[in-house]
Amino acid sequence: MATITESPALWRDAERCYRVVTARDSRFDGQFIMAVRTTGIYCRPSCPASTPKEQNVRFFPTSAAAQANGFRACRRCLPDAVPGSPDWNVRADLAARAMRLISDGTVEREGVPGLARRLGYSERQLGRVLTAELGAGPLALARAHRAHSARLLIELSELPLTDVAFAAGFSSVRQFNETIREVFATTPSQLRAFAASRRGRQSDVTGTRLSLRLPFRPPFDAPGLLRFFADHAVPGVEELTSEAYARTLRLAHGTGVVRLTPSSDHVRCELVLTDLRDLGSAVSRVRRLLDLDADPAAVTRVLGADPALAPVVAAVPGIRVPGTVDGEELLLRALVSEVPLGEEVPGEWGVTRLFPTAARIAATTGHPVAAALAEGRLDVHVGRDAAELRAELLTCVDPPTADYVVMRVLGAPDVLLADDPAVGRGAEVLGISPDSLGERARAWTPWCSYARMYLRRAATGPLG
């Protein structure tokens, strides 16, 4: 079962953060924000600009916290366009759960009351905890998320700026203009012109088609992810080639289709959306699907120290734990062997259908878990507490399935699944007695989910 692990608050260690900034270490991009008092600008740790004096900098956990303190985003290093903090993958507390829901667009769709309701806290409690932990309340965090979504649409689409404002979740054009000026120290039209000059060519993005670059912390085992998705693909819903993965998305305001093509330093994400208000949510779900906010250096430090695991860790650097774009879908795929056809969508990249809803599966198969999902008696989403979700799942599924769902839906990093036959075979290949996995796992905490992937990789054949 997942272990709830408190990750050290790196941003509070000013001396260590300044060393990272001095080294321009890109591995820490997204883990904290550096703000410069003399310029009023905040940057990612690896910003190529001249390193400011130590007495002139402050550190924040999020861009929202920097914005709340009056700082503007650096237009040179684009501090919002970095991998998300791996802290949200490791932590199981309220702040991490809230960040996952905010990134999925919950505040834009349901407001702060809806966010608080999903988390099981009052609005006052939620605001107090987030302000103490992250330096900003839920509205400020959501505002930062909207600003980032707006910048993507401004720079990568030809949408009229009025349409960009509402697509990004702003309630008015005035609010949109004020936020862009405050966050980026420029107007939306100037931001678009600046982006066009940097591209040196017209964008190939029109209408609801977008092409984004999703960053990650290298190394990144893209071939392993593609093989995993190929082995579990649902015809019509997913399509694999040797270089790319495509699938349909069921989103809050409509449907979407995405094609993901990994490269050496980013994943190219091509999106077709029926409603651009779903952009932020779609990107957030795809990042969780590919585990793009993982910290492979931290995983390697712990798992590579085990003499038995070390060979496979060295042979397959940057392994990822596959996530999911939809919690209900993942649970149903784990339980229902033959699902009915979902709704048709306009064909793109070889995919033509959505995964069927829980209600359709319940009506067709009578499966009790599908019925529980359809009726709202079971709720599987990224904002759930791991222990509470597992307990709820155990009322209708066995422990291995419950742990599997918690691991992939919440991105829980510390779930070994020792009963998985492939894990046992991999352990034997590496000279580890399967009976000793439970004891061995204590040394692998908090990265047992990644240890599981390495053990499964060892079971598939020769390393390297």
Side-chain angles (χ1 to χ4, degrees):
M1 177 45 200
T3 300
I4 297 177
T5 307
E6 289 295 335
S7 180
L10 173 60
W11 70 275
R12 297 183 188 277
D13 188 343
E15 183 178 347
R16 184 183 175 199
C17 287
Y18 191 73
R19 288 200 303 269
V20 169
V21 169
T22 301
R24 293 187 173 87
D25 194 334
S26 62
R27 293 176 301 170
F28 292 86
D29 286 351
Q31 298 199 36
F32 66 88
I33 291 293
M34 175 190 70
V36 186
R37 293 186 178 93
T38 52
T39 63
I41 289 173
Y42 68 87
C43 304
R44 63 171 78 185
S46 66
C47 183
S50 299
T51 304
K53 295 179 180 179
E54 187 171 4
Q55 63 267 28
N56 291 334
V57 300
R58 293 181 63 187
F59 299 103
F60 296 99
T62 62
S63 58
Q67 292 168 23
N69 280 270
F71 293 95
R72 304 185 305 274
C74 174
R75 284 194 286 171
R76 185 173 182 181
C77 72
L78 300 175
D80 299 293
V82 296
S85 173
D87 214 19
W88 314 140
N89 291 336
V90 177
R91 291 171 54 173
D93 61 11
L94 176 61
R97 293 161 54 207
M99 284 298 293
R100 289 193 286 265
L101 285 174
I102 290 170
S103 296
D104 196 49
T106 298
V107 174
E108 283 76 14
R109 295 191 300 269
E110 304 174 26
V112 175
L115 176 67
R117 184 172 58 254
R118 283 180 174 267
L119 294 168
Y121 282 76
S122 71
E123 293 179 54
R124 179 178 293 183
Q125 286 176 308
L126 177 62
R128 186 169 61 247
V129 171
L130 294 186
T131 300
E133 287 286 313
L134 306 178
L139 283 176
L141 292 163
R143 177 179 181 265
H145 177 255
R146 283 195 298 272
H148 177 58
S149 296
R151 186 183 64 79
L152 291 177
L153 289 171
I154 290 168
E155 296 184 350
L156 296 172
S157 81
E158 302 301 327
L159 278 179
L161 293 176
T162 299
D163 293 343
V164 169
F166 295 107
F170 291 95
S171 58
S172 69
V173 174
R174 179 180 177 180
Q175 183 191 57
F176 163 68
N177 287 331
E178 289 177 350
T179 298
I180 296 302
R181 280 197 297 267
E182 290 176 12
V183 173
F184 301 110
T186 187
T187 65
S189 57
Q190 289 170 334
L191 193 59
R192 175 164 281 177
F194 180 66
S197 68
R198 282 187 305 169
R199 284 196 301 266
R201 59 178 174 83
Q202 284 295 101
S203 171
D204 60 355
V205 180
T206 59
T208 58
R209 291 178 177 269
L210 295 160
S211 180
L212 314 176
R213 292 164 59 98
L214 305 184
F216 54 76
R217 295 178 181 84
F220 178 56
D221 178 33
L225 278 175
L226 292 178
R227 282 195 301 271
F228 179 90
F229 294 138
D231 291 344
H232 298 83
V234 176
V237 176
E238 299 166 289
E239 181 69 24
L240 273 294
T241 68
S242 60
E243 297 179 345
Y245 167 70
R247 68 153 295 146
T248 54
L249 302 170
R250 187 185 297 277
L251 300 163
H253 300 101
T255 62
V257 181
V258 62
R259 180 168 65 177
L260 303 165
T261 308
S263 69
S264 59
D265 62 353
H266 69 276
V267 174
R268 184 183 182 194
C269 173
E270 298 168 90
L271 276 168
V272 179
L273 300 173
T274 58
D275 192 318
L276 280 171
R277 288 177 294 174
D278 288 321
L279 172 63
S281 177
V283 171
S284 174
R285 294 181 188 202
V286 167
R287 293 194 65 84
R288 289 198 302 271
L289 175 71
L290 302 182
D291 195 16
L292 293 184
D293 295 328
D295 186 351
V299 174
T300 298
R301 273 197 305 273
V302 173
L303 301 186
D306 186 307
L309 276 183
V312 67
V313 171
V316 190
I319 208 164
R320 295 304 203 264
V321 178
T324 182
V325 297
D326 187 286
E328 290 190 2
E329 175 187 315
L330 176 72
L331 176 58
L332 292 170
R333 288 174 68 155
L335 298 176
V336 183
S337 56
E338 294 186 13
V339 298
L341 294 175
E343 305 99 298
E344 287 192 40
V345 297
E348 291 282 350
W349 304 307
V351 294
T352 57
R353 293 185 179 274
L354 295 170
F355 189 83
T357 63
R360 179 166 174 75
I361 293 175
T364 304
T365 68
H367 199 287
V369 174
L373 290 168
E375 296 166 10
R377 292 182 283 112
L378 182 60
D379 196 9
V380 183
H381 62 74
V382 295
R384 293 297 305 271
D385 174 78
E388 290 178 0
L389 176 58
R390 184 177 189 270
E392 196 170 293
L393 288 168
L394 287 176
T395 64
C396 51
V397 302
D398 58 29
T401 301
D403 289 340
Y404 177 77
V405 171
V406 167
M407 177 183 70
R408 292 193 58 190
V409 172
L410 304 185
D414 209 23
V415 181
L416 182 60
L417 296 179
D419 292 333
D420 181 348
V423 169
R425 291 195 300 273
E428 291 177 344
V429 167
L430 297 177
I432 301 172
S433 169
D435 294 335
S436 69
L437 279 173
E439 179 180 350
R440 198 74 172 247
R442 284 198 286 272
W444 298 339
T445 296
W447 309 116
C448 285
S449 299
Y450 294 87
R452 170 183 179 267
M453 297 303 297
Y454 278 118
L455 291 170
R456 288 178 61 88
R457 177 66 181 84
T460 61
L463 304 179

Short mmCIF file of all heavy atoms in Angstrom, two decimals, residues 164 212 285 287 328 353:
data_model
loop_
_atom_site.label_atom_id
_atom_site.label_comp_id
_atom_site.label_asym_id
_atom_site.label_seq_id
_atom_site.Cartn_x
_atom_site.Cartn_y
_atom_site.Cartn_z
N VAL A 164 -9.65 33.71 -26.28
CA VAL A 164 -8.62 33.15 -25.40
C VAL A 164 -8.98 33.39 -23.94
O VAL A 164 -8.83 32.51 -23.08
CB VAL A 164 -7.24 33.78 -25.72
CG1 VAL A 164 -6.22 33.42 -24.63
CG2 VAL A 164 -6.74 33.30 -27.06
N LEU A 212 1.96 21.43 -28.53
CA LEU A 212 2.69 21.91 -27.36
C LEU A 212 3.94 21.09 -27.14
O LEU A 212 4.04 19.93 -27.58
CB LEU A 212 1.82 21.82 -26.11
CG LEU A 212 0.38 22.32 -26.20
CD1 LEU A 212 -0.34 22.05 -24.89
CD2 LEU A 212 0.35 23.80 -26.52
N ARG A 285 -3.76 16.10 -17.47
CA ARG A 285 -4.00 14.66 -17.50
C ARG A 285 -2.94 13.91 -18.29
O ARG A 285 -2.52 12.81 -17.92
CB ARG A 285 -5.40 14.39 -18.08
CG ARG A 285 -6.50 14.92 -17.18
CD ARG A 285 -7.88 14.65 -17.73
NE ARG A 285 -8.89 15.33 -16.92
CZ ARG A 285 -10.17 14.97 -16.87
NH1 ARG A 285 -10.59 13.94 -17.57
NH2 ARG A 285 -11.01 15.66 -16.13
N ARG A 287 0.17 14.88 -18.69
CA ARG A 287 1.39 14.86 -17.89
C ARG A 287 1.33 13.75 -16.84
O ARG A 287 2.33 13.07 -16.60
CB ARG A 287 1.61 16.23 -17.21
CG ARG A 287 1.92 17.37 -18.18
CD ARG A 287 2.46 18.59 -17.44
NE ARG A 287 3.75 18.28 -16.84
CZ ARG A 287 4.90 18.34 -17.48
NH1 ARG A 287 4.94 18.72 -18.75
NH2 ARG A 287 6.02 18.03 -16.88
N GLU A 328 -11.99 6.72 -13.34
CA GLU A 328 -13.06 5.74 -13.55
C GLU A 328 -12.69 4.77 -14.67
O GLU A 328 -12.90 3.56 -14.56
CB GLU A 328 -14.37 6.45 -13.88
CG GLU A 328 -14.98 7.20 -12.72
CD GLU A 328 -16.39 7.68 -13.02
OE1 GLU A 328 -16.89 7.40 -14.14
OE2 GLU A 328 -17.00 8.32 -12.14
N ARG A 353 -13.12 6.49 -31.09
CA ARG A 353 -14.15 6.36 -30.05
C ARG A 353 -13.62 6.76 -28.68
O ARG A 353 -12.43 6.62 -28.38
CB ARG A 353 -14.66 4.91 -29.97
CG ARG A 353 -15.43 4.46 -31.20
CD ARG A 353 -16.01 3.07 -31.00
NE ARG A 353 -16.76 2.66 -32.18
CZ ARG A 353 -18.04 2.95 -32.38
NH1 ARG A 353 -18.71 3.65 -31.48
NH2 ARG A 353 -18.65 2.53 -33.48
#
